[in-house]
Amino acid sequence: MVSLDQLSSKAVIGQLGLCQGRTSVAKISADQDVHRIRAIKMRNVTYAINLTVDGCCDHTKFKPPDDGEVLEHYTQLLRDFDLLVYGRKTYQLMVPYWPDVAKSQSETKADIEFAQTFMSKKKVVFSRTLELASAEDENTRIVHTNLRDEILKLKQEPGKDILVGGVDIPSQLIQLGLVDEYRFVIMPTIAGEGRRLMEGVNLPEKLQLKLVESKSLKAGCVALRYLKQ
């Protein structure tokens, strides 16, 4: 994946290499390309997931605290986004479970607020086999096209940033260099088994992340926010 800065550099080099005898004209044109490229404000893609201390991302191997604080954290997080992206497996874990909770009068306040916030968001689901979204969720669009092309198109559309959940789709997006921010909630648990984040994924190069925010939750969880450098 070529970043905007890399693209800008290539635009400069390309323009300067067209005709060495007209350096000043080429430089003006290159500078205009750089400014034009940098003027494009693309939506960021943020990946959020719960992990154990030893990096397990298999939700069946651990259980978040039931005090509601983790859900409240994610409810606040969801409000910063207007588009959610999932693969089929994660989508079918979320729907129809959360639509049912949203209509319930017997669940906890934290559960209902998360469910209602979740239901209010537009969703894009990548799947080779799923043809139709659940009837419980009218805000979902099923996509069968190329993951990279679709995400690049979504990044250029107006709106708030994009939140990605699950494991398989985010892993591919990380490999493609399309994830800009990471939101991890670390559980005070050592699973000792289960799938690890990025297991079996080969990155073109190691990713260096910058910690920009951390928050300790009452039950011992830690919410971390990293930006891609």
Side-chain angles (χ1 to χ4, degrees), residues 1-7 10 42-43 45 148-149 151-153 155-156 172-180 204-205 207 228:
M1 175 61 190
V2 179
S3 67
L4 288 181
D5 288 340
Q6 290 171 322
L7 190 58
K10 290 186 177 183
M42 299 182 78
R43 303 160 85 183
V45 172
R148 177 184 178 276
D149 293 346
I151 292 297
L152 285 174
K153 184 176 74 173
K155 282 172 70 71
Q156 295 178 62
Q172 293 177 57
L173 293 176
I174 294 170
Q175 193 173 30
L176 291 167
L178 292 176
V179 175
D180 306 291
E205 58 184 5
L207 290 177
K228 182 175 70 174

Side-chain angles (χ1 to χ4, degrees), residues 153-164:
K153 184 176 74 173
L154 292 171
K155 282 172 70 71
Q156 295 178 62
E157 292 179 355
K160 294 181 179 180
D161 289 340
I162 302 166
L163 185 64
V164 183

Side-chain angles (χ1 to χ4, degrees), residues 129-142:
T129 58
L130 196 62
E131 295 296 332
L132 297 173
S134 169
E136 299 286 334
D137 187 7
E138 298 177 351
N139 287 333
T140 296
R141 178 168 63 92
I142 307 299

Side-chain angles (χ1 to χ4, degrees), residues 76-216:
Q76 292 296 326
L77 182 64
L78 280 180
R79 289 172 179 154
D80 292 333
F81 301 85
D82 59 11
L83 179 63
L84 311 179
V85 172
Y86 299 115
R88 177 189 59 80
K89 293 178 183 178
T90 301
Y91 175 70
Q92 291 181 329
L93 286 173
M94 305 288 276
V95 177
Y97 179 81
W98 288 113
D100 289 344
V101 172
K103 294 179 291 187
S104 172
Q105 300 299 318
S106 60
E107 301 291 343
T108 67
K109 179 183 176 182
D111 281 325
I112 293 172
E113 286 187 352
F114 175 86
Q116 291 175 344
T117 305
F118 172 79
M119 289 302 298
S120 70
K121 303 298 178 180
K122 293 180 180 178
K123 303 167 194 71
V124 168
V125 176
F126 287 89
S127 174
R128 296 187 183 91
T129 58
L130 196 62
E131 295 296 332
L132 297 173
S134 169
E136 299 286 334
D137 187 7
E138 298 177 351
N139 287 333
T140 296
R141 178 168 63 92
I142 307 299
V143 175
H144 304 284
T145 55
N146 179 272
L147 175 65
R148 177 184 178 276
D149 293 346
E150 184 67 23
I151 292 297
L152 285 174
K153 184 176 74 173
L154 292 171
K155 282 172 70 71
Q156 295 178 62
E157 292 179 355
K160 294 181 179 180
D161 289 340
I162 302 166
L163 185 64
V164 183
V167 179
D168 291 334
I169 293 296
S171 295
Q172 293 177 57
L173 293 176
I174 294 170
Q175 193 173 30
L176 291 167
L178 292 176
V179 175
D180 306 291
E181 184 173 325
Y182 298 81
R183 297 291 192 101
F184 300 135
V185 176
I186 309 301
M187 303 290 141
T189 305
I190 296 177
E193 61 177 339
R195 183 177 181 179
R196 272 26 181 195
L197 189 65
M198 302 302 291
E199 188 172 277
V201 178
N202 294 317
L203 294 177
E205 58 184 5
K206 289 184 179 180
L207 290 177
Q208 296 298 322
L209 306 179
K210 179 181 180 182
L211 179 65
V212 294
E213 185 179 343
S214 64
K215 179 183 178 182
S216 297

Side-chain angles (χ1 to χ4, degrees), residues 22-109:
R22 291 184 291 175
T23 303
S24 60
V25 175
K27 185 177 185 304
I28 292 172
S29 179
D31 288 343
Q32 290 173 341
D33 283 343
V34 170
H35 291 309
R36 183 166 60 250
I37 291 167
R38 288 179 175 169
I40 299 173
K41 176 63 173 74
M42 299 182 78
R43 303 160 85 183
N44 282 341
V45 172
T46 296
Y47 176 34
I49 191 171
N50 294 332
L51 298 170
T52 63
V53 172
D54 56 338
C56 176
C57 58
D58 183 343
H59 72 281
T60 66
K61 304 301 181 184
F62 62 93
K63 185 176 182 293
D66 57 5
D67 61 358
E69 193 175 18
V70 172
L71 264 183
E72 290 170 3
H73 167 78
Y74 278 112
T75 301
Q76 292 296 326
L77 182 64
L78 280 180
R79 289 172 179 154
D80 292 333
F81 301 85
D82 59 11
L83 179 63
L84 311 179
V85 172
Y86 299 115
R88 177 189 59 80
K89 293 178 183 178
T90 301
Y91 175 70
Q92 291 181 329
L93 286 173
M94 305 288 276
V95 177
Y97 179 81
W98 288 113
D100 289 344
V101 172
K103 294 179 291 187
S104 172
Q105 300 299 318
S106 60
E107 301 291 343
T108 67
K109 179 183 176 182

